[in-house]
Amino acid sequence: YEAYRRIGDVATPKFGLIYAPHPDITLKASWGKSFRAPTLYQQYQPQTLYLTRTATVGGQGYPASATALLLLGGNPDLAPERSTNWSATLELRPRFLDGVRLELTYFSVRYRDRIVTPIPSFSTALRDAGYASFVTLNPSAAEQAATIAGASVFTNLTGGATYDPANVVALVRNTSVNAGRQSVRGIDALVRYSGDLGAGTLSVSANAAWLESEQQIGPALPITQLAGMIFNPPHLRLRGDLGWSIGGLTITGNVTHIGPVVDNRTAPSVRIAGMTPIDLTLRYRADSGPLRGFDLIASVQNLFNAKPSPIATSLFYDTPYDSTNYSPLGRFVSLSVTKKW
């Protein structure tokens, strides 16, 4: 139980259960509630107003002189997030397969009042009817003046057009809000093995996760699919690890696959390919001899220099790739030497 000044009181119960009906089988379950107050940044981030071309916010068929206003920033009226979470896990450690461990988990998280920016891609604001409650068409001069007065910064991104209230055909508000509901559910599978191989030890693991998520901003608005869409987690993630150690020497290789997403900001939608970086690490730790106390680590991240697929951008400060899911960091080689005494 917690009490927050100016926000309210909250109780977050949590229950867990572990049951082993057989030495090879373990069943695990958990249920609980969670609470998160809005951050100061989400509440008080300065609001910025941009004057843009209508195409930037998805406008079609407007005259060349038409412009739109786009408002971004915090919201001091945000309410806290709440969620109900549960998971169930089946764990197998078969004795006839020494060193093998298998886990299969189903999880579900249901949010209420999730703090989000309602329009993840500006270019869909005027094209998607689901965002109509955040768009004011043909705003009056008085409404525009009030919005400009409340913004900390007013910037012209049109590349030449001057601000004229008569040319503004839409006001798009994309400040932080509390979504009506958001749900995340998925399956996580893990297989792991560790055992002797010759004079050393071999460790192998494979992990796969499948995710589904959706969001509804308000009761009268449609349900929006999130997982697998640009700037949201992909449906599929895979990871494999292979390691071998002998004495103080350990060699590890990792391959990670971040699944593809769909760029639904345009019609037709565009598939954005996934990314599969591979990492290698060599480590030597000396416990005796002249190198005692030395720890040497050589690693190569993103061995084959995998790159995120490019995406369309509409504003000059947009990243030309999905920065939520994919890393722009190319091949990176590092060497570290540590001495303890």
Side-chain angles (χ1 to χ4, degrees):
Y1 174 83
E2 299 170 88
Y4 290 85
R5 182 181 299 176
R6 297 178 59 188
I7 294 177
D9 301 347
V10 59
T12 51
K14 293 178 175 62
F15 301 94
L17 174 68
I18 300 176
Y19 174 56
H22 187 275
D24 296 352
I25 302 173
T26 302
L27 303 175
K28 305 176 184 179
S30 67
W31 178 91
K33 289 183 175 291
S34 295
F35 169 92
R36 188 179 76 85
T39 65
L40 291 175
Y41 183 77
Q42 290 171 330
Q43 291 178 292
Y44 302 111
Q45 175 192 1
Q47 292 192 350
T48 303
L49 185 65
Y50 296 102
L51 180 70
T52 72
R53 299 289 185 183
T54 56
T56 301
V57 290
Q60 297 176 342
Y62 288 100
S65 60
T67 57
L69 292 174
L70 174 62
L71 182 66
L72 307 176
N75 179 0
D77 297 324
L78 287 174
E81 295 180 358
R82 300 173 186 267
S83 70
T84 302
N85 327 298
W86 70 271
S87 66
T89 299
L90 170 65
E91 180 180 330
L92 302 176
R93 294 177 180 266
R95 286 170 292 174
F96 63 89
L97 294 175
D98 188 34
V100 174
R101 173 187 167 196
L102 301 94
E103 280 192 15
L104 183 64
T105 299
Y106 177 84
F107 60 89
S108 172
V109 182
R110 293 186 176 273
Y111 295 95
R112 290 184 293 117
D113 297 329
R114 184 68 184 265
I115 299 172
V116 299
T117 50
I119 309 174
S121 301
F122 306 141
S123 57
T124 61
L126 300 186
R127 290 193 299 106
D128 193 329
Y131 301 131
S133 60
F134 303 102
V135 176
T136 301
L137 297 177
N138 302 313
S140 66
E143 188 171 8
Q144 295 180 46
T147 305
I148 293 172
S152 300
V153 179
F154 182 28
T155 303
N156 188 340
L157 299 180
T158 60
T162 57
Y163 171 63
D164 183 348
N167 291 334
V168 176
V169 298
L171 169 59
V172 180
R173 294 181 175 86
N174 201 30
T175 56
S176 298
V177 298
N178 290 103
R181 68 180 183 90
Q182 188 181 107
S183 64
V184 181
R185 59 194 179 279
I187 297 175
D188 193 288
L190 172 68
V191 179
R192 180 174 293 167
Y193 169 76
S194 179
D196 295 334
L197 179 66
T201 301
L202 175 69
S203 62
V204 183
S205 69
N207 181 230
W210 181 267
L211 188 72
E212 295 282 353
S213 62
E214 58 191 25
Q215 175 177 284
Q216 187 177 31
I217 300 294
L221 298 177
I223 296 175
T224 304
Q225 298 299 319
L226 298 181
M229 298 299 169
I230 192 168
F231 302 123
N232 289 284
H235 288 295
L236 179 67
R237 284 181 181 267
L238 303 171
R239 179 179 173 89
D241 299 277
L242 177 63
W244 183 70
S245 61
I246 180 171
L249 178 66
T250 302
I251 302 173
T252 307
N254 316 100
V255 55
T256 303
H257 176 69
I258 307 166
V261 295
V262 173
D263 187 350
N264 60 345
R265 300 174 299 166
T266 59
S269 299
V270 178
R271 183 180 184 272
I272 306 299
M275 190 173 175
T276 309
I278 297 175
D279 305 328
L280 293 176
T281 302
L282 174 66
R283 179 172 186 171
Y284 180 73
R285 176 180 292 172
D287 294 325
S288 61
L291 294 179
R292 181 180 180 182
F294 275 96
D295 196 357
L296 296 86
I297 302 176
S299 67
V300 183
Q301 297 180 10
N302 196 0
L303 176 64
F304 297 106
N305 201 32
K307 299 177 181 178
S309 298
I311 63 173
T313 58
S314 56
L315 294 174
F316 71 91
Y317 56 76
D318 285 345
T319 55
Y321 64 95
D322 183 344
S323 57
T324 300
N325 297 301
Y326 311 114
S327 171
L329 184 65
R331 185 184 300 110
F332 187 84
V333 182
S334 66
L335 174 65
S336 67
V337 180
T338 305
K339 166 64 177 173
K340 299 180 180 178
W341 61 88

